[in-house]
Amino acid sequence: MYTLHYSAGACSLAAHLVLEETGAPYELVAVNLKDGQQHGEAFRALNPKGRVPVLIDGDIVLTEVSAIMIYLARKHPAAGLLPENALQLGRCVEWCSWLGSSVHAAAVAQIWRPNRFADDESLHPAISAKGRLNLAECFGQVESRLQKGQWAVDNRYSIVDPYLLVFYRWGYRMDLDMRTLFPTWTDHAERLFQRPAIRKALEQEGIGIWP
Ligand SMILES: N[C@@H](CCC(=O)N[C@@H](CS)C(=O)NCC(=O)O)C(=O)O
């Protein structure tokens, strides 16, 4: 039995979606990020970085979205979430690495957490504005790399697809009209929403895709 520490709609959603796709039993533990629970002693003992997601598997404590998704995919190969083929595997890591760094840790953080980049609050609007430009460039790249009717890597469903959904949802929270701006990515999100595992995990978190 796995335990996933998550926060509704946070990047931990990708790990949750993958966990649900594996069909393995798990329990969810909600972490209240707004109340700062991630900085409390109990949570820091699990993850000194003070972030979700955290996956517990027996004695194993694993952090970082991509690491958790890769671990789960390899532990449950029948779910077919991570290719064996060297190039396809490389493509999956290429996507995950970029989504976790340039998109999440840089662009998104600049917009939502400018305090990570400068203590001087007068600089925060400029940092967020630059984050919006960075995000627009990244989202444009997602749109041009995806192909209508296809999954991200060689049209083979993988851990990359649910990870993309996290950012698609966040687009709306940043007041981007995702449907109009990114029609191919929207088609991708709509196809994800047809998958029972995706619907179930979203329901468990009490969230949807569209506002
Ligand atoms: N590099 C980490 C990032 C994790 C992360 O930033 N999680 C956010 C939620 S999306 C969080 O826990 N934020 C709480 C905070 O920054 O205080 C990963 O990929 O798992």
Side-chain angles (χ1 to χ4, degrees), residues 22 30 40 58 74 80 84 100 103 109 130 133 148 165 185-186 189-190:
T22 65
R74 271 291 178 265
E84 290 292 336
V103 185
K130 183 65 181 170
L133 292 176
K148 212 160 186 185
L165 191 64
W185 197 358
T186 297
E190 282 170 344

Side-chain angles (χ1 to χ4, degrees), residues 10-11 33 38-39 50-53 64-65 104 113 116 170:
C11 59
L33 299 183
Q38 70 276 31
H39 303 305
R51 308 269 177 99
V52 291
E64 301 293 318
V65 176
H104 188 182
R113 300 198 183 264
R116 283 194 193 147
W170 286 357

Side-chain angles (χ1 to χ4, degrees), residues 20-36:
E20 185 58 41
E21 293 273 7
T22 65
Y26 65 92
E27 61 176 9
L28 294 169
V29 177
V31 180
N32 191 329
L33 299 183
K34 285 193 187 117
D35 287 356

Side-chain angles (χ1 to χ4, degrees), residues 118-177:
D119 290 328
D120 182 347
E121 286 185 17
S122 71
L123 299 173
H124 290 181
I127 292 168
S128 294
K130 183 65 181 170
R132 285 195 166 269
L133 292 176
N134 289 336
L135 193 80
E137 193 187 330
C138 291
F139 277 18
Q141 283 172 21
V142 171
E143 179 69 8
S144 57
R145 281 189 70 177
L146 289 177
Q147 290 178 47
K148 212 160 186 185
Q150 304 223 349
W151 299 121
V153 176
D154 274 357
N155 197 21
R156 184 188 185 288
Y157 189 76
S158 71
I159 57 172
V160 174
D161 299 294
Y163 201 5
L164 279 166
L165 191 64
V166 168
F167 299 96
Y168 183 85
R169 287 187 70 261
W170 286 357
Y172 284 105
R173 288 186 55 207
M174 292 164 179
D175 292 327
L176 295 174
D177 180 358

Side-chain angles (χ1 to χ4, degrees), residues 61-88:
V61 179
L62 195 60
T63 65
E64 301 293 318
V65 176
S66 297
I68 292 171
M69 294 194 300
I70 288 170
Y71 177 73
L72 290 171
R74 271 291 178 265
K75 275 202 78 181
H76 302 278
L81 296 166
L82 195 63
E84 290 292 336
N85 171 278
L87 180 56
Q88 289 176 339

